[in-house]
Amino acid sequence: MPTHTPRYLLPGIVTIALVACCSIALSLRALRRAEHASAWVNHTHAIVFESSSLVSSLRAGDAALKAYAAGGDPGEAGAARIAFAEVAEQFEVLRALQAATGERAPALEAATGVLQNHLASARRLLAAPDNDPGSAHTRLSGVVTMAVTSQDISRHIGKLTEFHKARLQEHDREAYRSSLAVRWAVSTGAIVTLVLLAALYGLLRGYLAERVRVQETLERANRELDARVAERTRELAAANQNLQIENLERQWACEAVQHQLRYSQLVINALGDPVCMITRDRNIVRANPAACRWTGYSEKGLIGAPLHRILRVERPTGGADTLPRDPVQDALRAGRDLVNEPGIVMAEDGSQRRVIYSLFPVRDADKVVGAVVTMHQV
Amino acid sequence: MSTQDGMAGDELGREGGRCEGGAEAKRRVLVVDDEAGIRELLTQFLRLKGYDVSAAATPDEALHCIESERVDVVLSDVQLAKSDGLALVAEICRRRPELPVVVLTGVILDEDVMRSDGALKIAGYVSKTEPLSQVLRALERALL
């Protein structure tokens, strides 16, 4: 099962993050530009507004002055004073606003001198006595003169207004282009991000599906292996049990043999007559306790000793002597029994006792390997 | 006296020691023999064959065992050191008449001797010279 992270995961995430960061940076930059442009636009609109207000106030002042010059109405004079005061104030505001832009405005500079003269003329006309006929004539002529300067002022201010309006329009076009570019960039970034996310999702889905498949395969293999191990364990346990039983049977058989041997030994030991086991060479290999008692030898002293040390066969004439041919040797070679033959048991201390002895050959696979010799006192 | 539950019998094959229709209650055999080797050998063998086994070396231990534990069958040697196994069999028959007793004879003639004694209700005889399967068969016959 693959445990490592897919190779494409980190580059994919980094790419998506980069695209998203670029989109965010572009958006923030556009936002900052918009905020800055908003302040500029407000400022420019204020200039345009003040220009328009100034022209309006100027026209109102000229109209009031003209009415005052024609009728001598003091109310009109007051209205003219107020209007021209507003014009002066608005002009100062306009200059301040223009100065705040840091740019020179030739139209405003050209209007400055004309407007100041215009306002000075207005102040003079309004300062003349109301009831003086000469003053009335002077006012009328002054009003006519001022109409010309008023048109100059309006023209200069109009140029200023047009200049700023043109800049506003240019800014609007630039802002529109910029917004289109930002929108395109952000949209492209979003689309690219979505496409990358979809691709990454597809790859990860395939990767996870592969992992699940590998995991299932591994679990299936583990289950099969566990089953095989369990089956093998059962077989081994059964084989082990059989081995243990066989081993116990073997031990039991050994015990049985031991019992048989012990039983046989008990039987032999219980006999009152001497019994010896001899080899084909007539050497004693076993002797029962009666044989030891009769001869005075220990069992250890009898084992390995020749039979004739304790048993001398007797001549048929009755004299105790060795015969030219040993009947024991002949019987062993021929594999025949000797039954109730006369003999003499020779004790270690030299004492003798007459016996009859019998010899029964012992065969192993039809081959005589020894004999059992029993003795009985006559 | 040594009384042990047959772990090997639990883990390995269960044959003769299982009751009919149930896997939980295994038959319990009390093995009585003064020879530790024989006792241990029979204990292991019977556990492998699915029996629960208790073991006793002397008649006193055997009698204590049948009084204090659930025992379904007794497998006893007739030649115990310092005592007569037949006397133990007689005492078991007196205390638990329903309890079957299978005797192990170490000497061939014992069987004939015991067959002549009608006072003892002995469920079976097995010579120690016979295979272990005969011991198992005698126990199964006694538990029928």
Side-chain angles (χ1 to χ4, degrees), chain A residues 237-238 240-241 244-245 247-252 255-257 259-260 262-263 266, chain B residues 12-13 35 38 41-42 44-45 48-49 106-107 109 128-133 135:
Chain A
N240 185 45
Q241 182 188 10
Q244 289 184 58
I245 290 174
N247 187 37
L248 291 173
E249 294 270 13
R250 215 166 282 125
Q251 289 181 43
W252 182 260
E255 292 287 342
V257 170
H259 272 281
Q260 290 281 27
R262 195 159 61 241
Y263 179 61
L266 288 174
Chain B
L12 300 175
E35 292 182 58
I38 298 292
L41 193 153
L42 286 171
Q44 288 184 25
F45 176 73
L48 287 173
K49 290 297 182 182
V107 180
L109 289 178
K128 286 183 178 177
T129 59
E130 293 185 72
L132 273 176
S133 57
V135 177

Side-chain angles (χ1 to χ4, degrees), chain B residues 6 12 24 26 55 62 90 97 103 107:
Chain B
L12 300 175
E24 292 80 11
K26 293 194 292 184
V103 295
V107 180

Side-chain angles (χ1 to χ4, degrees), chain A residues 300-318:
Chain A
K300 192 175 179 182
L302 287 178
I303 301 300
L307 177 64
H308 62 75
R309 179 178 294 177
I310 62 169
L311 177 64
R312 296 281 179 87
V313 297
E314 198 171 52
R315 289 176 184 276
T317 55

Side-chain angles (χ1 to χ4, degrees), chain A residues 11-21 189 192-198 200:
Chain A
I13 290 174
V14 169
T15 305
I16 291 170
L18 282 175
V19 172
C21 286
V192 170
T193 302
L194 287 176
V195 169
L196 287 174
L197 280 174
L200 196 60

